[in-house]
Amino acid sequence: AVQLVESGGGSVETGGSLKLSCVASGYANSGDISKTRCMGWFRQAPGKERERVATIYTRDGTTYYGNGSVYAYDSMAGRFTISQDSASNSVFLQMNSLKPEDTAMYYCAASSSYATCVQDIRGLKFDTWGQGTQVTVSS
């Protein structure tokens, strides 16, 4: 079974940057991450719903950002970048210009469905999750 392990979280001041990494293990070969059609990053702050930060369709690199609102899309797409490295079966989330509102637990997730990349802004249909990595942004 595929397992996801995140790293890279931490505490930064407003305006700082962090790069989260997610290594997917359990694949037989390098590049097999494409068999998991969708990889994504979600976050959940205390008292709030889990929301999509970004997803990537691993077969062609198409990316999707935000939780469905225009504000979230503009905020995240302009500051965050999701990417993948097929050779290491990894996905990354580069986060720049961090704000206190970005404080949350960030989770890596995987799904075998392309539709989840596009539509699933709450992560309800992602079937594999990492343990999470905490990001704290101080003002």
Side-chain angles (χ1 to χ4, degrees):
V2 173
Q3 293 183 320
L4 306 176
V5 178
E6 305 101 330
S7 62
S11 297
V12 296
E13 295 184 344
T14 297
S17 298
L18 286 171
K19 184 175 184 178
L20 307 184
S21 300
C22 173
V23 178
S25 63
Y27 292 114
N29 302 298
S30 171
D32 278 355
I33 195 172
S34 65
K35 296 181 179 178
T36 299
R37 292 184 176 88
C38 182
M39 298 290 294
W41 288 96
F42 291 80
R43 69 185 185 186
Q44 187 165 20
K48 295 188 177 181
E49 286 188 284
R50 184 173 61 199
E51 63 176 355
R52 181 181 69 184
V53 178
T55 52
I56 185 166
Y57 180 53
T58 59
R59 294 192 175 184
D60 66 8
T62 303
T63 57
Y64 305 88
Y65 292 90
N67 63 11
S69 74
V70 174
Y71 173 79
Y73 176 82
D74 289 346
S75 176
M76 294 181 189
R79 300 182 296 123
F80 298 169
T81 303
I82 188 171
S83 62
Q84 64 179 3
D85 176 37
S86 297
S88 63
N89 290 327
S90 300
V91 293
F92 307 98
L93 184 69
Q94 177 67 48
M95 303 187 294
N96 298 326
S97 302
L98 283 162
K99 306 175 182 180
E101 67 199 56
D102 296 317
T103 295
M105 186 70 80
Y106 284 70
Y107 297 92
C108 179
S111 169
S112 58
S113 167
Y114 167 68
T116 59
C117 263
V118 182
Q119 302 167 356
D120 190 359
I121 61 174
R122 298 293 179 206
L124 300 177
K125 296 186 177 181
F126 281 74
D127 45 31
T128 304
W129 292 83
Q131 82 285 356
T133 186
Q134 178 69 37
V135 171
T136 302
V137 185
S138 58
S139 57

